[in-house]
Amino acid sequence: MYKLEDIRDIHLEITSRCQAKCPMCPRRINGGPLNPFIHLDDVSLETFKKWFPVDFIKQLNSLFMCGNLGDPIVSKDTLEIYQYLRATNPNIGLAMHTNGSAKDQDWWRKLAKENVKVTFGLDGLKDTNHLYRISTDFDKIISNANAFIGAGGFAKWHMLVFKHNEHQVEEARQMSKDLGFRAFTTKHTSRFHNGELQVIDEKGNPLHKLEPTQKSADMISLVKESQSETKPTIICKAVKNRQLYVSACGNISPCCWLDMEWIPPMQASRIDYMDRIGEFPNLNTSSLKEIFDGGYFEKIEKTWGHTPLQECGKQCGSFDKLGAQFEN
C-alpha cells in the first residue's frame, strides 16, 4: 500500500450534516427520519489545521469535498478552509460536489475566486429535481450557480437519472450549456433493491415512489452476477490515485466506501470489515504519521491476495468495469 509521503489526493467529508433529504442517502430512512446510527460532525478550520500539517498540504495535488452523508456548503468553515488551502499550496486542485441549495450569492462568488471546481447535483428540472433532492430549492440552486459561473467559476451539472426524469436529460443538458456550465454528466444508480423505493416524510407517511430506469435495472442485475465471484481481482482506485479519505468525525480510510462509520452495524460489509480489520483510525486520537506507521493500510491490502473485503470486492473488484457503462 502507499506511504504517507505518497499521498497526493484527499477526499474530505467536511460535514455529515445536510439540509436535503435524499431518499437513497444513508443519513435518511427513505427520505424521512434521520438514521439513528448517524453522528453529526463538522470539521472546523482549526481542526483542519491540526489534522493536516503544512508540509503535508504542500505535497498534495488536489483536495475534493464530498460526503458520504453531508454536503460541504452546510459546514461553517468550508470557504475558509478552501482559502487556507489555496494560500498554503497555490497549485493545489480544489473541488466539491454539492446540491447547491445553500449559502448566498456572495459566498458563491468568493468560492469562484479560489478556483474551486464545483459539481452541482441537479437531478432534473424544476418540476422533478425535488423528487429526489428533497428540501432543496431549484431556483436557489440556479441562482447560486449563476453567481458562481458569473464570477468565473468552473461548474459541472451532474444528473442522477430515474424513470421520472429520464425524459428531461437532453433538455437539462441544453440548459446547462445555456447557463454556462462547463460539463454535463448523467448516472443511473444501482441503489435500488426491490425495483422501486417508497419515499416517506419525517413521520413515515408515504410521499411518492422512485423507480429505476432500464439501465439501472440492467446494471443491478450485472452487479449481482459479478458479486457471485468468490475471488475478484482488486484494482484499488485509492492506490492508483494515491488518495486518502477522511470523514467528518476524523476517521481515515483509503476511500469513502471503507468508511464504516456510516454503514449500519448489522450490514454484511460492516460485519466483514470488523471481523477482519476491526479498527477505525481517527485523526482526533492519532496523527497521520502514527496511522500510516501503524500498519492499518497493509492490513487491508493483505486481504486482496485471498478473499478481499466485501466492500473492496464490490467497488474495485473485477466487475468494476460496469461503472463506465452507466455514466456519460
Side-chain angles (χ1 to χ4, degrees), residues 190-201:
S190 63
R191 291 191 178 185
F192 286 97
H193 298 292
N194 299 310
E196 62 182 32
L197 177 67
Q198 176 64 62
V199 181
I200 61 176
D201 64 17

Side-chain angles (χ1 to χ4, degrees), residues 6-75:
D6 294 329
I7 298 298
R8 292 295 177 267
D9 297 328
I10 294 293
H11 177 179
L12 174 66
E13 178 179 54
I14 191 173
T15 182
S16 53
R17 302 175 191 274
C18 186
Q19 86 284 33
K21 302 174 183 177
C22 303
M24 291 178 175
C25 175
R27 288 187 76 256
R28 295 279 171 180
I29 300 174
N30 294 1
L34 189 68
N35 188 327
F37 296 113
I38 300 304
H39 301 284
L40 299 179
D41 299 286
D42 292 276
V43 181
S44 67
L45 177 59
E46 180 183 4
T47 297
F48 183 87
K49 290 179 178 180
K50 289 179 180 177
W51 286 357
F52 304 111
V54 169
D55 287 345
F56 177 73
I57 291 174
K58 288 182 177 180
Q59 81 181 39
L60 297 177
N61 292 332
S62 67
L63 184 140
F64 173 58
M65 289 190 193
C66 177
N68 278 333
L69 305 170
D71 192 300
I73 59 174
V74 175
S75 194

Side-chain angles (χ1 to χ4, degrees), residues 210-226:
L210 296 178
E211 297 179 76
T213 61
Q214 187 58 52
K215 280 189 176 182
S216 284
D218 292 342
M219 177 168 59
I220 292 165
S221 295
L222 286 171
V223 168
K224 286 181 178 178
E225 289 176 14
S226 297

Side-chain angles (χ1 to χ4, degrees), residues 268-289:
S269 61
R270 184 186 179 102
I271 295 171
D272 176 58
Y273 176 93
M274 291 304 297
D275 284 346
R276 301 167 65 191
I277 306 300
E279 61 178 303
F280 301 91
N282 189 284
L283 287 172
N284 289 311
T285 56
S286 304
S287 69
L288 276 169
K289 186 177 187 308

